[in-house]
Structures are given as structure tokens and as C-alpha cells.
Amino acid sequence: MTKTVLLATVAALGMIGAASAADLSARMPVKAPPAPMVVPAFSWTGCYIGGFVGGAWSDDYSVYDRNGFAGVGSWGYSSDSSVIGGGTLGCNWQPVGSQFVLGLEGELGYISLEGSGADPLDPTIVAASKIGDWYGMITGRLGFAWDRALLYVKGGAAFLNVESSIYDSLTGFGMSTSDTVTTWTVGGGIEYALAPSWSIKAEYMYIGLNDTLATCGVYGGTAPAPGTYCWDHDNGGIHTAKVGLNYRFGGGAAPVMARY
């Protein structure tokens, strides 16, 4: 009889302990899962201002003696290279969640390409050309971004001052002409963001200056015969290569993405 009472007591105490544990577990708050780590995603969206330095070189020039002043049709010559430098101003837009970057950019810089060549049949007649001292561009940009690295192509309009001249040291006959030429440009480059607001770039642009500039003057001598004489100067395209530094306004204001 005593053993039966003891076993019943132990069983009752066990049931009470289990019920108390279950009640305590129900009352304890459930621990929430850890919050996801939020990492800023770099964005190229924003407007920027920058500067650059580099070099330029041109394709060969040619000149055509339209009226036969020296009795030869045409001849060619090359120009020297030029240091270039200037500034840029532009804006980019990168849609949220996209790697594509659209942009519009203006560029204004210094350039000075000069060349000259003598008539092979009459070395006293020298043709000369000069491009500069300034140039400008308005271009659109299309890029593809890998986070802080941006590979892009660009193209649009270019503006240059072009001068051409002819001088005959034997007769003293000479003339020159100049014009501001509007033409096309295309190229591309790579840009890398060192910080949310600062980036560096390397870029190549070709300026399609396939332009003919006529240089004409009235000759009053006796040999050759008096009259109006013209030379057509064909200017070749221009190659430019540069490195630059850009500052983007509002850098760091980027969308975010979550990583678990």
C-alpha cells in the first residue's frame, strides 16, 4: 500500500513538472531571425564635372592645285602631334537594377595640329594647315557597368577651327582661309570609380574631319598669267587619346540591395 502511494505521488509530481515546463515555454518570447545585411549598391546616376590631358595626331593632309598655278595636280604632307587638355561636363542615368548607363557629355579643350608641305615640282610653293587652338564636342554615352567599373561607347558632334594657307616665296603670292567646321566624332573608353564621387577614365575619340577647305586668291603677276587661283586642302581625320578625372555631384546616393 505504501509503495503504491509513493508511485502515485512521483507520477503526479512528474505531470505537474511537465505542465509547468510547457507553460513556461509558451510564455517565453520567440527569438526573431537575424536581420539581413543591407549593402549599398554603387550607381553611376548623377551629373559630373572633370578635366583631362592627352595627345592628338591626324591623318595626312593633301592639297590640290585647282587652276594649275605651278602645273602640278596635288601633293600630300603630314602634321605634327599635339598635346590636348580641357574639361568635361555631363550627366549619367543608371536605371535601378540595370547595368546599362545612359549619358550626355560636353567637352571643350585645347588642340594645335600643324603641318606643311612643298609642291614637288615647285618647292617655292608651300601649303600649310592648322587645326586649333580649340575644339569642342557634344556626345551621347552608352555604357555597361560592373559595379564601380564602366565600359562605354560615345558619339556625336565635334567643332573645330581649321586654317589653310598657300605661299609662293618666289613671287610673294600668298593667301589663307579659316573656318569653324562642324563634323562627327565617335569613340569609347573605360571609367572606374575610386570613391562614390570620384572616378578616373581612359578614352579614345576619332574626329572625322574629312573636310575640304578652299584657299583662293587673285594673282596679279605675269608668270603664270594673272587671275584667280585656288587650292583645295583636304584635312584628314583626327585621333585623340586622353586620361581624366571626374567629380560626380551627389555621389553615394545610391539604391540598396539586401544580402542574406
Side-chain angles (χ1 to χ4, degrees), residues 102-104 111 132 145 193 199:
L102 303 176
L104 183 66
I111 189 172
S199 62

Side-chain angles (χ1 to χ4, degrees), residues 214-229:
T215 303
C216 300
V218 177
Y219 176 66
T222 57
T228 299
Y229 291 89

Side-chain angles (χ1 to χ4, degrees), residues 40-43 250-256:
F42 187 83
S43 173
V256 296

Side-chain angles (χ1 to χ4, degrees), residues 37 52 60 71 103 137 151 158 190 249:
M37 180 178 64
F52 64 87
D60 289 342
M137 295 182 184
L151 185 67
I190 186 169
F249 302 102

Side-chain angles (χ1 to χ4, degrees), residues 61 77-80 113-117 126-131 163 165:
Y61 302 94
Y77 54 95
S78 59
S79 75
D80 56 5
L113 292 167
E114 298 184 46
S116 62
V126 176
S129 298
K130 179 182 178 180
I131 299 172
E163 300 178 17
S165 64

Side-chain angles (χ1 to χ4, degrees), residues 30-75:
V30 179
K31 186 177 180 181
M37 180 178 64
V38 178
V39 180
F42 187 83
S43 173
W44 288 92
T45 297
C47 295
Y48 59 90
I49 188 171
F52 64 87
V53 293
W57 64 100
S58 72
D59 298 331
D60 289 342
Y61 302 94
S62 64
V63 60
Y64 173 69
D65 186 350
R66 191 192 303 173
N67 306 110
F69 184 85
V72 65
S74 63
W75 68 96

